[in-house]
Amino acid sequence: MNILVTGGAGFIGANFVYYELKNHPEDRIVCLDKLTYAGNLQTLEEAMKNDNFRFVKGDIADRDCVFRLFEEEKFDIVVNFAAESHVDRSVENPEIFLKTNILGTQTLMDACRKYGIKRYHQVSTDEVYGDLPLDRPDLFFTEETPIHTSSPYSASKASADLLVLAYARTFKLPVSITRCSNNYGPYHFPEKLIPLMISRALADESLPVYGKGENVRDWLYVEDHCSAIDLVIRKGREGEVYNIGGHNERTNLEVVKTILKLLSKPESLITYVTDRPGHDMRYAIDPTKIHTELGWLPETTFDKGIEQTIKWYLDNEDWWKNILEGDYQNYYERMYKNR
Ligand code: NAD
Ligand code: DAU
């Protein structure tokens, strides 16, 4: 099969490229990525050595570029990871989120309609469901939970999901959607909680925890997300939404303290800073549907995954230090200086 992976130079997309090359050596993977600040060709160095892999630099919202690529390659499956993905950046500047996340999705689906496709898969997020209260641990997001977004990022992802379902109904496009909880693992960009805290703790710098650090996220090791998407694109039912998550709920403070403990760094590095506007309290996925229909279960517990992740960051300092040396310093200054 010929599979288009958009956003494959980013965190989850790159992990998915490696997952596919390893588990389906008979398939060919083409990665289309704009190489924004979050895209990194260094991440794909090993993939570039594989004859079954091709990298193309381009914007999913650029119709000429996308249609040209579809004309050149006869894709069987499209997996759309490409997105602006950071909530804080969407608060600072929503526009690019609407362009990439909504219009980019539309452009890809228009190309699928014109050139034909076996499956268009949209990589979505649990953030489309909004949040859950802290005092109701019995509540979880199911696929039936109403869409109820909080940030420009989640609103753009929800809009894209609605568009995907509309293309399925109106144009009979064969689609599927997965909505996953927070990922962590190798190649995670250090603007997100876990890699930010690891990289700053290693440098003995303060660790900026928003509000009181009570917000809860449901952490999933990235390889488990990749195995779930792989199952859905090959065996999942057309037109369906599948939630992905592994019941690994932790408060942000618990996560930060775990990282400090594993790195033997003092808790005095923790600094409480002004909260994120509109900050979602708790995410928690009910993965019953993907488990019962496709037999998917996560393999990595949070305790094991966070150890593996810290080890990866220790073994791959070059990867994240290169990022910290670039435009990242300006970003950190801008986002955190007045908090
Ligand atoms: P990321 O920010 O690490 O990577 C995004 C990638 O998309 C980058 O390589 C970037 O260069 C590329 N990109 C951005 N705009 C583009 C455009 N217009 N055209 C082509 N490429 C473009 O993101 P991530 O964390 O790997 O997330 C991937 C997807 O998974 C996103 O759709 C996100 O909404 C979703 N998701 C993420 C998480 C998470 O915890 N990170 C959880 C659930 C769902
Ligand atoms: O749930 C899936 C979503 O998870 C994805 O759709 C998003 O693309 C992904 O970025 C992630 O969103 P979050 O906002 O949950 O992730 P982030 O790593 O930015 O923050 C995790 C929690 O940590 C959140 O409650 C905010 C908090 N936080 C974050 C940063 C960057 C801090 O306390 N301090 C920080 O410096």
Side-chain angles (χ1 to χ4, degrees):
M1 274 204 292
N2 197 9
I3 303 177
L4 174 64
V5 175
T6 68
F11 165 45
I12 309 173
N15 277 282
F16 185 74
V17 165
Y18 285 115
Y19 185 93
E20 292 299 298
L21 290 175
K22 183 172 162 209
N23 292 287
H24 300 283
E26 70 285 4
D27 290 340
R28 172 181 153 79
I29 308 291
V30 178
C31 168
L32 174 66
D33 197 297
K34 188 181 173 186
L35 295 180
T36 67
Y37 78 92
N40 188 344
L41 267 191
Q42 202 188 334
T43 305
L44 291 174
E45 252 171 21
E46 277 305 305
M48 301 282 195
K49 295 177 190 160
N50 192 315
D51 289 342
N52 280 346
F53 179 78
R54 175 185 175 197
F55 178 80
V56 178
K57 184 173 188 287
D59 185 337
I60 58 163
D62 176 343
R63 194 163 276 262
D64 290 344
C65 158
V66 168
F67 278 51
R68 209 179 315 121
L69 182 61
F70 272 71
E71 193 136 3
E72 270 171 44
E73 302 266 354
K74 171 89 183 98
F75 293 119
D76 298 293
I77 297 178
V78 172
V79 187
N80 181 25
F81 290 92
E84 288 293 333
S85 71
H86 192 34
V87 173
D88 293 327
R89 288 186 192 254
S90 83
V91 174
E92 192 190 32
N93 180 15
E95 194 170 335
I96 186 68
F97 285 74
L98 309 195
K99 185 156 185 253
T100 289
N101 300 0
I102 306 173
L103 297 180
T105 298
Q106 181 219 352
T107 307
L108 285 172
M109 290 194 299
D110 283 346
C112 291
R113 285 182 60 209
K114 175 160 185 202
Y115 295 98
I117 198 83
K118 292 193 180 109
R119 178 65 64 88
Y120 172 85
H121 183 75
Q122 178 73 0
V123 180
S124 185
T125 167
D126 60 359
E127 296 202 17
V128 301
Y129 299 121
D131 62 353
L132 297 164
L134 289 183
D135 60 357
R136 290 294 306 275
D138 55 312
L139 295 181
F140 295 91
F141 297 136
T142 73
E143 290 79 2
E144 307 309 320
T145 302
I147 301 285
H148 186 80
T149 55
S150 311
S151 68
Y153 162 71
S154 56
S156 69
K157 292 294 291 185
S159 307
D161 282 13
L162 295 177
L163 208 52
V164 171
L165 296 173
Y167 269 55
R169 174 150 176 169
T170 304
F171 304 118
K172 307 279 176 277
L173 195 71
V175 305
S176 48
I177 298 177
T178 44
R179 294 180 179 148
C180 189
S181 60
N182 286 63
N183 284 214
Y184 66 105
Y187 304 118
H188 204 179
F189 194 86
E191 67 187 350
K192 307 283 172 69
L193 181 75
I194 289 182
L196 179 86
M197 296 300 166
I198 296 173
S199 57
R200 290 187 66 83
L202 284 171
D204 296 307
E205 289 169 332
S206 64
L207 308 187
V209 170
Y210 298 168
K212 295 183 187 152
E214 289 172 335
N215 308 63
V216 171
R217 296 293 183 265
D218 182 359
W219 294 97
L220 187 74
Y221 194 62
V222 63
E223 202 175 341
D224 284 326
H225 187 184
C226 295
S227 70
I229 294 174
D230 183 61
L231 266 178
V232 170
I233 59 175
R234 290 165 196 275
K235 298 191 177 138
R237 283 187 295 141
E238 214 177 284
E240 291 293 314
V241 175
Y242 293 91
N243 282 355
I244 309 173
H247 292 301
N248 276 311
E249 287 181 55
R250 297 283 187 288
T251 66
N252 293 339
L253 208 50
E254 282 169 339
V255 170
V256 174
K257 286 185 178 174
T258 303
I259 291 169
L260 287 171
K261 196 164 167 215
L262 288 168
L263 290 174
S264 305
K265 298 286 183 180
E267 288 188 7
S268 56
L269 287 177
I270 294 173
T271 313
Y272 295 93
V273 301
T274 309
D275 212 349
R276 172 185 280 174
H279 198 173
D280 282 337
M281 280 319 296
R282 172 176 169 248
Y283 303 146
I285 284 279
D286 174 353
T288 305
K289 180 173 174 182
I290 189 167
H291 175 56
T292 49
E293 275 191 29
L294 301 175
W296 178 84
L297 275 178
E299 283 186 2
T300 307
T301 61
F302 186 73
D303 289 346
K304 187 173 152 213
I306 193 74
E307 269 191 42
Q308 277 173 206
T309 302
I310 288 178
K311 181 169 181 328
W312 189 88
Y313 279 84
L314 289 170
D315 292 346
N316 293 276
E317 276 198 5
D318 273 6
W319 183 87
W320 53 270
K321 283 198 169 156
N322 278 347
I323 293 171
L324 299 196
E325 277 160 15
D327 203 34
Y328 184 86
Q329 282 307 327
N330 297 331
Y331 165 81
Y332 195 85
E333 270 291 300
R334 213 169 67 233
M335 284 294 193
Y336 292 87
K337 80 171 177 238
N338 292 325
R339 276 194 122 121

